[in-house]
Amino acid sequence: METSFVEILDSTLRDGEQTNGVSFLPHEKLMIARMLLHDLNVDRIEAGSARVSDGEKDAISMICRYAQQIDRLDRVEVLGFVDGHQSIDWIADCGCRVVNLLAKGSLKHCRQQLGKSPDEHIADIRRSVAYAKERGMAVNLYLEDWSNGMKDSPQYVYQLMDALVDSGIRRFMLPDTLGIMNPLQVIDYMRKMVKRYPDTHFDFHAHNDYDLAVSNSLAAVYSGAQGLHVTVNGLGERCGNAPLSSVQVILKDQFRARTSIVEDKLNAISRMVESYSGIAVAPNQPIIGDNVFTQVAGVHADGDKKDRLYQNDLVPERFGRRREYALGKTSGRANIAKNLEELGLELTPEQQRRVTERITELGDKKEIVTQEDLPYIVSDVLKHDTPDDKVKLVSYVVSTAYGLKPGANIKVEINGQQYEAAGTGDGQYDAFVKALRYIYRKYLDRTFPTLANYAVTIPPGGRTDALVQTVITWDDNGRLLRTRGLDADQTEAAIKATFKMLNIIENEQNNEL
């Protein structure tokens, strides 16, 4: 099916911030807006809601100033209410020039929530639209609870539309506010709207209560909607909204639709929002999850090597990522050989067999094995075939006391030379890393990778009174390294992960020499 251009509105900063426990700081909202507008080239963003707080006003004002600088102020929109002049004045004071006015899209909401008749509500909306136009602002109109309106009171929806379709409203935005619809209903209701108002721009705004937000969004486009509302990582209240990444790739690959989105920035915006929101992305979340471009089965690695037999259009490079071949009990020789090849390690068939046996043994215990772990497994299995660690921990002491910052005293050996240092930090591990940074800066005149992410979990199949697993992601001049440490003590596990990272970098530097 060939479709025309589909406009994308990202509501992460408004609807996404309604996720339970999520509240972005003003500068965080600005950073997200910058990436959405500039890097991803999203058509429109909903930057927030009127009259929420002074912090919200500061954030929206900063976003509008930035958008003005890059000549994209017309892409910034703010949710306003039918409250006379208050919302419109508030939004105009922020420097925003587009208001998304929230009206009632069902008779039940109109009568029971507002306590007004349809004619009274329509008159209020018209006054707000007229005032916004007086202030030089464009107006889009939300029909809140439109899905229930079409189900229970379609004549009310048509009455509203008939009265407003020629009022100068730029877009009519149709939300499934309570997430009750399925794709067949979306097709039915959207086609009725498009047929009755053929020259009107309709947006569709999905919620994911039945896990149908993406399907319903596509059904809306199929039926004539010209715009879709999404959020990064599917953030939103209750079960969230339609995820930007999923909507984008299905529009492009399945519908052959055109959008403005720069796909290789999808992973970067996902990671930024994950960090600021504190809401982790599921490892198997399509496009942006940690595991989606990781093959485990050995037959997949073999097929990919021969002719990309296990790959589809969702190639990782398209999204600024790369394919990985995880190691486990189903890996097989082909998978392990692929990882060894990427690391530049050459083993004889017999050596590969022994390494494969060791990985299978670890997989049976449900231990996670990564490419970064592979050199250490090789070293463990084939003692004399790989060099010893270049960076070693000789000894350390970490301490904490009431009223004092945690401290660390460490002694390390780097390429045969021992160094000592002390440090303090916000925690025992932070103190340890600061001491390490001091050694690298003072004695080696080298930079130390920055910590990008830090997660502590119980290993798969583990128990709370047994081992913990620390996974640390490092930023080494723009290159991300992820290493894991396993120990009964959380700090010790983090230290092990740290020394894995340091040895990876040291071995690479020595190989270059």
Side-chain angles (χ1 to χ4, degrees):
M1 156 180 189
E2 188 72 28
T3 65
S4 57
F5 179 82
V6 178
E7 203 174 64
I8 301 294
L9 175 141
D10 185 279
S11 189
T12 304
L13 300 178
R14 200 274 298 174
D15 220 357
E17 198 179 26
Q18 292 177 205
T19 306
N20 184 32
V22 173
S23 179
F24 298 120
L25 296 172
H27 82 274
E28 292 174 338
K29 295 191 81 164
L30 176 62
M31 293 300 102
I32 294 170
R34 284 169 60 100
M35 183 167 279
L36 287 169
L37 290 171
H38 183 269
D39 297 347
L40 268 87
N41 196 36
V42 170
D43 299 294
R44 299 148 56 201
I45 65 169
E46 204 166 32
S49 300
R51 301 174 56 202
V52 169
S53 67
D54 291 339
E56 184 85 335
K57 194 168 190 177
D58 290 342
I60 294 171
S61 298
M62 286 194 295
I63 291 169
C64 289
R65 285 195 296 271
Y66 169 73
Q68 179 79 56
Q69 291 170 7
I70 63 171
D71 197 27
R72 294 185 180 180
L73 183 58
D74 60 330
R75 299 191 185 195
V76 179
E77 304 171 9
V78 175
L79 182 74
F81 308 97
V82 181
D83 55 9
H85 297 173
Q86 294 181 75
S87 286
I88 292 166
D89 286 341
W90 192 96
I91 294 168
D93 288 346
C94 293
C96 183
R97 290 294 173 261
V98 184
V99 55
N100 291 343
L101 205 59
L102 187 69
K104 299 303 180 183
S106 69
L107 182 60
K108 187 175 181 180
H109 272 222
C110 180
R111 288 198 182 279
Q112 296 184 22
Q113 191 169 34
L114 296 181
K116 294 189 175 185
S117 69
D119 287 337
E120 289 173 324
H121 188 38
I122 289 168
D124 290 342
I125 296 169
R126 292 186 71 90
R127 279 191 289 270
S128 291
V129 172
Y131 181 67
K133 291 173 70 176
E134 284 177 20
R135 296 216 55 175
M137 302 174 74
V139 179
N140 303 318
L141 189 74
Y142 270 113
L143 300 186
E144 186 183 18
D145 201 37
W146 168 79
S147 47
N148 272 318
M150 289 299 289
K151 182 166 69 74
D152 300 328
S153 53
Q155 291 311 311
Y156 166 80
V157 177
Y158 299 146
Q159 180 184 354
L160 206 68
M161 288 295 304
D162 290 345
L164 298 171
V165 71
D166 294 323
S167 64
I169 293 170
R170 183 178 293 179
R171 303 174 183 88
F172 287 83
M173 307 194 292
L174 310 177
D176 181 16
T177 304
L178 300 180
I180 62 167
M181 302 179 80
N182 64 54
L184 295 179
Q185 290 172 311
V186 174
I187 290 171
D188 181 25
Y189 298 161
M190 187 63 71
R191 281 180 173 174
K192 287 177 178 176
M193 298 293 286
V194 171
K195 183 178 181 180
R196 190 174 177 111
Y197 310 101
D199 299 322
T200 302
H201 177 115
F202 290 114
D203 282 0
F204 181 70
H205 180 106
H207 280 267
N208 203 38
D209 296 69
Y210 282 95
D211 204 18
L212 290 171
V214 174
S215 300
N216 287 342
S217 296
L218 300 175
V221 168
Y222 179 80
S223 308
Q226 294 173 264
L228 292 177
H229 294 193
V230 299
T231 60
V232 177
N233 300 342
L235 290 183
E237 64 180 339
R238 304 189 313 275
C239 301
N241 294 28
L244 165 61
S245 53
S246 296
V247 168
Q248 163 61 25
V249 298
I250 297 176
L251 279 176
K252 182 174 181 181
D253 294 1
Q254 306 293 338
F255 278 30
R256 299 293 183 258
R258 293 181 296 109
T259 71
S260 300
I261 302 299
V262 179
E263 289 187 331
D264 64 8
K265 302 299 182 183
L266 287 171
N267 190 56
I269 188 66
S270 173
R271 299 283 81 81
M272 174 184 282
V273 171
E274 181 182 41
S275 175
Y276 287 161
S277 69
I279 305 295
V281 173
N284 61 340
Q285 176 75 21
I287 312 306
I288 53 176
D290 276 349
N291 293 351
V292 296
F293 296 116
T294 301
Q295 306 276 36
V296 177
V299 65
H300 291 176
D302 182 59
D304 287 347
K305 185 176 181 180
K306 290 175 178 173
D307 193 18
R308 300 164 64 96
L309 299 179
Y310 291 91
Q311 297 183 23
N312 55 23
D313 288 340
L314 300 175
V315 292
E317 291 77 15
R318 175 177 165 185
F319 310 108
R321 302 183 63 183
R322 69 182 184 89
R323 191 172 303 281
E324 297 179 359
Y325 295 88
L327 302 168
K329 64 182 179 181
T330 61
S331 296
R333 288 190 300 273
N335 198 335
I336 294 166
K338 182 75 173 177
N339 278 276
L340 290 169
E341 177 185 326
E342 290 186 5
L343 290 169
L345 295 173
E346 295 184 8
L347 301 182
T348 66
E350 172 60 19
Q351 291 170 337
Q352 281 198 34
R353 183 190 64 78
R354 291 166 60 191
V355 171
T356 301
E357 287 179 354
R358 176 60 174 150
I359 291 171
T360 301
E361 177 187 333
L362 291 169
D364 280 332
K365 296 178 181 177
K366 294 189 177 180
E367 291 192 30
I368 296 173
V369 181
T370 69
Q371 189 183 75
E372 289 85 357
D373 296 320
L374 191 52
Y376 300 93
I377 294 172
V378 171
S379 180
D380 184 48
V381 174
L382 315 170
K383 301 286 188 185
H384 59 286
D385 288 333
T386 56
D388 292 335
D389 287 349
K390 304 297 182 184
V391 185
K392 300 176 182 178
L393 178 61
V394 179
S395 64
Y396 77 96
V397 175
V398 292
S399 62
T400 184
Y402 180 75
L404 299 174
K405 275 196 166 189
N409 291 79
I410 68 172
K411 179 186 288 187
V412 298
E413 182 180 305
I414 304 173
N415 291 319
Q417 181 69 42
Q418 291 193 357
Y419 306 94
E420 294 185 32
T424 60
D426 295 328
Q428 292 181 343
Y429 176 66
D430 186 46
F432 185 95
V433 170
K434 284 182 177 175
L436 261 179
R437 288 185 187 281
Y438 179 83
I439 289 172
Y440 271 72
R441 183 177 66 251
K442 179 175 181 179
Y443 299 113
L444 304 179
D445 193 26
R446 283 164 52 182
T447 59
F448 192 93
T450 58
L451 191 146
N453 198 14
Y454 181 103
V456 178
T457 60
I458 302 168
R463 304 189 317 276
T464 55
D465 60 350
L467 297 173
V468 295
Q469 176 179 258
T470 302
V471 183
I472 305 179
T473 304
W474 306 89
D475 186 337
D476 180 32
N477 294 319
R479 179 185 64 152
L480 293 181
L481 290 172
R482 185 181 290 110
T483 53
R484 290 168 166 82
L486 200 67
D487 197 86
D489 178 79
Q490 178 179 324
T491 301
E492 185 72 22
I495 290 171
K496 287 182 178 179
T498 304
F499 275 80
K500 282 188 180 182
M501 175 272 296
L502 292 174
N503 275 289
I504 289 171
I505 293 175
E506 202 66 39
N507 284 325
E508 288 175 348
Q509 292 205 348
N510 288 339
N511 288 338
E512 290 175 2
L513 298 175

